[in-house]
Amino acid sequence: VSAGISGDSDYLFFVSREGDLWCLDHSGKELWKTHVGGQVAVTPLPNASFVTVKLNYNKFVQLNSLDGSIKWQYQAPNPPLTISSQGNITYGDGVIYSGLPEGKLIAIEAVTGLLVWEVSVSSSKGVTEIDRANDITSQPIIDRGTIYAISTNNGKINAIDRRTSESIWDRPLSSFVGLNLYGNDVIVVHETNSIYSLENEAGKTNWRNIDLQYRNIGRGLIIGDSLAVGDFAGYLHFIDLNNGKLT
């Protein structure tokens, strides 16, 4: 298995390393299998009667959940040099959202596969292609009419109006692993593994924790009023989301 497992009340989905999307029922019986045209490292996104996969070269394929037939395909721009990490896609109100290389965020109409909008979360800087690698390698998160996305490599976090695609606010802050929502706050694991709590309407910093810097922590999981994160040594840490202190 290269990506998965996801599902809904009827089906389970995963992608094999050969590039096949598998659909099982909840007893484990194979219902169908479809080759999607390449390798996939992102968990399939099921919704209602369809499932969408994102290939490693930024091609999106939507399939019918009933029989595995392909409904539409969309190929996003693919620059010559990208970071070898793919952020999960997300869905809200009939639109599929995904981060891309070069700090791009796109919105695709789920029914038709047509591009709704494309915006730049941040701009690439530097002389060489490596310097300019500025991808979105984490999953965008939706909070009602706003979507938040963050880019890598001295990039930015950007709060974007989902309807107009206009930026509500942005600030320099970068992450490879992404964001969480906690009430009215956005929780960011910075690329140095500092943890930030930002006020969601203007991006103002509530607190910053530097205790886990360079310990290779992930995005983490919010449990109650705590953020639980694991590190490279296998330790599990809990951060109080009210004050940013380790508990």
Side-chain angles (χ1 to χ4, degrees), residues 83 85 134-139 149-157 172-180 187-194 196 217-219:
I83 295 172
S85 181
N134 178 38
D135 300 356
I136 297 177
T137 61
S138 57
Q139 182 179 15
I150 190 166
S151 58
T152 63
N153 196 22
N154 298 312
K156 284 184 179 180
I157 179 173
L173 203 65
S174 50
S175 176
F176 286 94
V177 296
L179 315 168
N180 279 291
I187 309 301
V188 183
V189 176
H190 187 259
E191 62 184 19
T192 63
N193 295 162
S194 297
Y196 288 78
I217 63 175
R219 171 192 174 195

Side-chain angles (χ1 to χ4, degrees), residues 185-188 195-199 204-207 241:
D185 301 329
V186 182
I187 309 301
V188 183
I195 302 171
Y196 288 78
S197 171
L198 308 180
E199 191 271 325
K204 179 182 177 181
T205 300
N206 298 316
W207 52 256
L241 290 170

Side-chain angles (χ1 to χ4, degrees), residues 42-113:
V42 173
T43 303
L45 176 68
N47 188 274
S49 62
F50 61 83
V51 56
T52 307
V53 294
K54 176 185 177 183
L55 279 67
N56 288 0
Y57 55 94
N58 298 305
K59 183 177 183 178
F60 298 79
V61 181
Q62 186 183 105
L63 303 95
N64 189 312
S65 297
L66 296 175
D67 58 13
S69 59
I70 293 177
K71 297 178 63 179
W72 54 255
Q73 302 180 57
Y74 175 80
Q75 177 64 64
N78 200 43
L81 184 64
T82 63
I83 295 172
S84 182
S85 181
Q86 297 280 334
N88 283 339
I89 50 181
T90 192
Y91 173 88
D93 301 314
V95 179
I96 295 167
Y97 300 92
S98 177
L100 294 175
E102 297 184 330
K104 304 288 187 181
L105 178 69
I106 61 170
I108 302 171
E109 189 175 45
V111 174
T112 64

